[in-house]
């Protein structure tokens, strides 16, 4: 047994001696491998250190973001009354007396007194014109029915005269004309017959007296008488010829013309009467309506002049301070001009603001808000108001209102209430100030430098290079507000993310 143990021990010793070179070589190989690994790690570490030293990075963290804007403002009165002239009819408003610029007035106190002498005379003249117009209308209203009746009678008479003229003309043409000619012929014929008769009878008497034994004296009487009858017959015959010629050549043609003229005149009178009934009555009615219309216009003017007379003395509708002119965007640029115009003896402008009465104890601030800030301000948001006066303290305020529509190109009117209780006595409308407003605030905003953000124009998106395992990774982001060189990230990054500030696109 001891021999077996000794043999075993010898065998083990031999084997040990034979394996030593192999184990040494294996150890050397392992050492070389370990050395190479260490050397590789040192090389990688060296490269990593070099990479980190060449890349500029930024670690994303959350923090407060507050964006403020400073607006130019003007103090304005919340209660004011603009005084202007809007007369109904009168045009001459010559100033008799006017309150001074900057004067304190009470409600109901006189601001303007105008000369009213000419206006009162115009009202009196118009009163007289109205009375006369009323009398003319009454007279015409009474005369119009009589005129209508008279025109109807005239027409009826003309129609009756025309009827008679036609009858006379027809009778003349049918009988009287021929009768007149026949009568002239007969008269001439009768005169000739009588002459011949007288001559024959004289001739017979002369023969008879020559044969009888009558005395000379009796014969002469009879013959003388008969001779006279012959002489008369000759005269009458000549006269009848004259009458006959006159009747045929003068009287009958004249009667023809006269009868035709009488008929034409009768027809003309009827037409005139008919026209008068149609036109004269209508004309009279129109003239009556014209008078009534003129009277109505005079009455309207009278009412307007009476209303304008109330403008001869203008009183203040509220207690306050007088400012000449009116404000534009809170600025009183017309004071100097109005001081030259609002003087006694000068005529006041119409349909324009002459002066304004302001309650200087109730103030607001007005600004013109740029359209880019329109949705940044909300009603009720707090603001800080700093008057322009040196040494003045800032005042607290809040957004009162923002106009729904632009008041100028790209501008909205914003009004701010003053929440400070005690306002300085020297603070008055028209003074300027700065309004500090917070347009955006985020207590946990993620901010990165502007140069970390890049634009992908092809996709219309923005991205950053995040660094992961020392490698840049393109990461899409959405941005919000900007302040200085920082940009708010609203989507795509988280706190602790590392972003590269280099242009990794060129190194990629």
């Amino acid at each position: 047994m001891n021999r077996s143990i000794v043999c075993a021990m010898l065998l083990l010793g031999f084997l040990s001696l034979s394996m030593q070179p192999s184990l040494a070589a294996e150890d050397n190989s392992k050492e070389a491998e370990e050395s190479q690994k260490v050397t590789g790690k040192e090389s990688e570490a060296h490269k990593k250190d070099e990479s980190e030293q060449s890349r500029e990075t930024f670690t994303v963290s959350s923090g407060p973001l507050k964006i403020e804007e400073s607006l130019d403002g003007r103090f304005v009165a919340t209660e004011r009354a603009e005084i202007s002239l809007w007369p109904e009819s009168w045009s001459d408003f010559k100033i008799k007396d006017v309150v001074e610029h900057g004067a304190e007035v009470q409600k109901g106190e006189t601001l303007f007194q105008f000369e009213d002498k000419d206006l009162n005379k115009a009202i009196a003249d118009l009163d007289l014109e109205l009375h006369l117009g009323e009398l003319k209308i009454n007279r015409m209203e009474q005369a119009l029915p009589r005129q209508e009746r008279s025109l109807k009678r005239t027409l009826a008479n003309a129609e009756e005269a025309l009827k008679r003229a036609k009858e006379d003309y027809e009778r003349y043409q049918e009988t009287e004309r021929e009768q007149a000619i026949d009568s002239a012929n007969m008269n001439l014929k009768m005169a000739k017959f009588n002459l011949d008769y007288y001559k024959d009878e004289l001739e017979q008497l002369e023969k008879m007296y020559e044969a009888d034994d009558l005395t000379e004296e009796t014969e002469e009487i009879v013959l003388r008488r008969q001779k006279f009858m012959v002489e008369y017959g000759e005269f009458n015959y000549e006269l009848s010829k004259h009458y006959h010629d006159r009747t045929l050549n003068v009287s009958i043609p004249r009667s023809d013309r006269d009868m035709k003229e009488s008929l034409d005149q009768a027809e003309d009178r009827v037409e005139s009467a008919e026209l008068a009934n149609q036109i004269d009555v209508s004309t009279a009615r129109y003239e009556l309506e014209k008078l009534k219309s003129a009277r109505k216009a005079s009455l309207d003017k009278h009412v307007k002049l009476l209303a304008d007379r109330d403008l001869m003395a203008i009183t203040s509708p509220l207690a306050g301070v007088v400012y000449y002119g009116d404000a534009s965007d809170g600025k009183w640029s017309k004071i100097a001009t109005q001081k030259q115009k609002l003087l006694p003896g000068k005529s006041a402008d119409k349909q324009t603001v002459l002066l304004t009465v302001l309650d200087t104890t109730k103030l607001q601030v007005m600004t013109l808000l740029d359209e880019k800030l329109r949705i940044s301000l909300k009603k009720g948001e707090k603001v800080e108001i700093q008057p322009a006066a040196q040494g003045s303290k800032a005042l607290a305020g809040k957004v009162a209102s923002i106009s729904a529509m632009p008041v100028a190109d790209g501008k909205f009117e914003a009004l701010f209430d003053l929440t400070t209780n005690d306002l300085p006595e020297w603070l008055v409308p028209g003074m300027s100030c700065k309004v500090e407003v917070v347009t955006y605030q985020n207590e946990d905003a993620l901010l990165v430098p502007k140069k970390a953000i890049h634009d992908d124009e092809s996709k219309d998106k923005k991205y950053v290079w995040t660094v992961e395992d020392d490698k840049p990774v393109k990461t899409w982001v959405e941005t919000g507000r900007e302040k200085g060189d920082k940009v708010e990230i609203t989507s795509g990054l988280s706190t602790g993310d590392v972003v590269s500030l280099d242009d990794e696109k060129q190194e990629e």
Side-chain angles (χ1 to χ4, degrees):
M1 181 176 179
N2 290 333
R3 187 180 292 173
S4 299
I5 293 171
V6 172
C7 289
M9 291 178 64
L10 290 173
L11 180 60
L12 289 171
F14 176 77
L15 291 171
S16 174
L17 290 173
S18 63
M19 292 178 64
Q20 284 181 356
S22 176
L23 290 171
E26 186 177 352
D27 290 338
N28 289 336
S29 177
K30 288 182 178 179
E31 289 177 0
E33 289 178 2
E34 291 294 333
S35 176
Q36 290 177 357
K37 288 180 179 180
V38 171
T39 301
K41 289 180 178 179
E42 290 177 353
S43 177
E44 290 177 1
H46 180 67
K47 289 181 179 180
K48 183 176 182 180
D49 290 340
E50 288 182 352
S51 176
E52 289 179 351
Q53 289 176 1
S54 63
R55 177 183 289 117
E56 185 180 1
T57 60
F58 179 84
T59 303
V60 180
S61 62
S62 64
L65 174 60
K66 186 177 182 180
I67 300 177
E68 296 177 302
E69 293 282 347
S70 182
L71 307 176
D72 293 327
R74 292 274 176 175
F75 288 97
V76 296
T78 59
E79 292 187 14
R80 60 184 179 274
E82 295 179 342
I83 306 300
S84 57
L85 282 172
W86 291 84
E88 298 286 343
S89 177
W90 193 247
S91 59
D92 186 15
F93 287 83
K94 188 175 291 184
I95 299 173
K96 185 177 182 180
D97 192 18
V98 59
V99 67
E100 293 183 355
H101 170 74
E104 293 187 7
V105 295
Q106 299 300 317
K107 183 177 181 180
E109 187 173 341
T110 300
L111 302 175
F112 280 100
Q113 186 72 43
F114 298 101
E115 298 287 353
D116 59 358
K117 180 179 178 181
D118 292 341
L119 175 59
N120 289 331
K121 183 178 183 303
I123 293 175
D125 291 343
L126 193 56
D127 284 335
L128 179 59
E129 181 182 328
L130 286 171
H131 289 308
L132 292 175
E134 185 177 9
L135 292 175
K136 288 181 180 179
I137 290 172
N138 291 336
R139 184 177 64 185
M140 184 167 285
E141 286 178 338
Q142 294 175 7
L144 185 59
R146 291 196 298 270
Q147 183 181 8
E148 288 181 304
R149 292 193 298 269
S150 175
L151 289 171
K152 288 180 180 179
R153 285 196 301 270
T154 301
L155 176 60
N157 293 337
E159 290 174 341
E160 179 63 24
L162 176 60
K163 179 183 177 182
R164 294 179 182 180
K166 286 181 177 180
E167 292 174 352
D168 292 344
Y169 185 76
E170 289 175 358
R171 185 169 54 253
Y172 171 77
Q173 290 290 336
E174 291 175 0
T175 60
E176 291 181 352
R177 187 176 187 278
E178 293 299 325
Q179 287 178 351
I181 294 173
D182 293 343
S183 176
N185 291 333
M186 182 56 68
N187 287 335
L188 179 60
K189 186 177 181 180
M190 186 65 185
K192 181 67 172 62
F193 174 80
N194 288 334
L195 176 60
D196 291 342
Y197 173 80
Y198 294 147
K199 286 182 176 180
D200 290 343
E201 187 175 358
L202 177 61
E203 183 179 355
Q204 292 299 324
L205 286 174
E206 288 177 343
K207 289 179 179 181
M208 181 182 68
Y209 287 145
E210 287 178 355
D212 63 22
D213 52 358
L214 293 177
T215 62
E216 185 77 16
E217 183 177 355
T218 303
E219 290 177 356
E220 288 182 359
I221 294 172
V222 173
L223 289 173
R224 188 171 58 251
R225 186 179 300 164
Q226 192 61 36
K227 287 178 180 179
F228 174 78
M229 291 302 296
V230 171
E231 183 180 357
Y232 170 76
E234 290 176 347
F235 172 79
N236 188 53
Y237 177 64
E238 292 298 326
L239 186 63
S240 295
K241 286 197 295 183
H242 172 74
Y243 286 150
H244 179 269
D245 181 69
R246 177 179 176 80
T247 299
L248 295 183
N249 297 315
V250 178
S251 298
I252 294 299
R254 286 183 178 178
S255 295
D256 290 344
R257 290 194 298 272
D258 291 345
M259 294 300 292
K260 185 63 172 64
E261 182 68 21
S262 296
L263 179 60
D264 291 342
Q265 289 178 354
E267 290 176 345
D268 290 343
R269 282 192 290 272
V270 170
E271 290 180 2
S272 298
E274 289 175 342
L275 192 61
N277 269 272
Q278 296 173 2
I279 295 180
D280 290 1
V281 174
S282 298
T283 301
R285 289 198 181 101
Y286 287 139
E287 289 178 351
L288 178 59
E289 290 303 318
K290 183 179 179 180
L291 286 176
K292 290 181 177 180
S293 178
R295 176 173 169 75
K296 183 178 182 301
S298 296
L299 285 172
D300 292 341
K301 185 177 181 180
H302 188 263
V303 171
K304 291 176 180 179
L305 288 179
L306 290 178
D308 290 342
R309 187 161 62 182
D310 293 338
L311 298 177
M312 292 295 108
I314 300 178
T315 59
S316 178
L318 54 84
V321 177
V322 173
Y323 277 47
Y324 278 4
D326 59 343
S328 176
D329 300 333
K331 300 176 183 178
W332 297 86
S333 59
K334 300 179 182 178
I335 293 176
T337 302
Q338 290 298 90
K339 280 186 175 181
Q340 300 300 318
K341 291 183 176 181
L342 301 183
L343 296 171
K346 291 193 173 183
S347 294
D349 294 332
K350 294 171 286 298
Q351 300 179 2
T352 185
V353 177
L354 302 174
L355 57 81
T356 308
V357 181
L358 304 97
D359 185 348
T360 57
T361 63
K362 300 175 182 178
L363 300 179
Q364 277 185 322
V365 172
M366 185 185 73
T367 67
L368 290 180
L369 186 68
D370 194 273
E371 60 185 355
K372 68 181 182 180
L373 302 176
R374 176 63 182 85
I375 63 174
S376 301
L377 284 185
K378 300 292 187 295
K379 185 177 181 180
E381 287 185 6
K382 294 181 179 180
V383 299
E384 185 177 86
I385 299 169
Q386 179 61 58
Q390 293 183 355
S392 61
K393 295 181 179 180
L395 306 173
K398 64 179 181 179
V399 180
S401 65
I402 302 174
S403 63
M405 297 296 172
V407 295
D409 187 22
K411 302 291 183 180
F412 292 80
E413 183 182 274
L415 293 175
F416 302 89
D417 287 333
L418 295 167
T419 56
T420 301
N421 292 327
D422 297 326
L423 297 178
E425 293 182 358
W426 49 263
L427 195 62
V428 293
M431 297 184 73
S432 60
C433 62
K434 292 287 185 180
V435 181
E436 306 296 335
V437 299
V438 177
T439 59
Y440 183 76
Q441 190 167 4
N442 186 352
E443 297 297 334
D444 296 313
L446 297 180
L447 299 173
V448 299
K450 284 184 179 179
K451 64 180 181 178
I453 300 173
H454 308 281
D455 292 317
D456 189 330
E457 296 181 356
S458 63
K459 295 183 178 182
D460 194 21
K461 296 173 68 176
K462 297 181 183 295
Y463 65 90
V464 299
W465 293 105
T466 58
V467 180
E468 299 178 9
D469 295 332
D470 197 33
K471 294 182 179 180
V473 178
K474 191 175 187 178
T475 304
W476 299 107
V477 296
E478 293 181 2
T479 59
R481 300 300 182 96
E482 297 182 8
K483 185 177 183 181
D485 64 342
K486 297 294 179 65
V487 179
E488 180 187 24
I489 302 298
T490 60
S491 176
L493 293 179
S494 302
T495 302
D497 288 344
V498 178
V499 297
S500 174
L501 303 182
D502 296 335
D503 190 359
E504 300 289 351
K505 186 176 182 180
Q506 296 178 357
E507 300 174 4
E508 194 176 19

